[in-house]
Amino acid sequence: METIWYEPFIHALRIHIEENHMDQRGALDELRMTEEEYAYMEVGDDEKIRLGCPWSSHCNCDWEVSGHIVVRLRDFK
């Protein structure tokens, strides 16, 4: 089974929210909105992606996850 490029980011955010921000109103809604935003995001080869905590401005949370997107196409002969 293939993994969608943004799934590891959403998974990391889910763990962070569940461990640190379940007391925030709409915590899981924020997760769903972020996942929807990433589903429509266009990424290119050799692009760096950073996902920070949605509550960083409210609670001084400095959590973030980052990654590097590399596109590798297989030979379609």
Side-chain angles (χ1 to χ4, degrees), residues 9 38 41 48-53 56 62-67:
F9 293 92
Y38 272 54
M41 183 186 291
K48 291 181 173 58
I49 304 292
R50 183 189 85 72
L51 174 60
C53 177
S56 60
D62 60 356
W63 177 90
E64 72 174 30
V65 64
S66 61

Side-chain angles (χ1 to χ4, degrees), residues 4-56:
I4 300 171
W5 73 267
Y6 58 84
E7 286 180 348
F9 293 92
I10 300 302
H11 180 70
L13 180 60
R14 175 183 296 280
I15 291 170
H16 174 71
I17 288 173
E18 288 175 350
E19 290 178 353
N20 300 284
H21 299 293
M22 288 306 290
D23 60 328
Q24 299 289 331
R25 184 175 186 183
L28 295 179
D29 291 336
E30 188 67 42
L31 179 68
R32 283 188 287 275
M33 288 186 292
T34 302
E35 183 172 13
E36 184 175 345
E37 177 185 343
Y38 272 54
Y40 288 101
M41 183 186 291
E42 293 184 20
V43 294
D45 188 27
D46 201 34
E47 189 166 340
K48 291 181 173 58
I49 304 292
R50 183 189 85 72
L51 174 60
C53 177
W55 291 279
S56 60

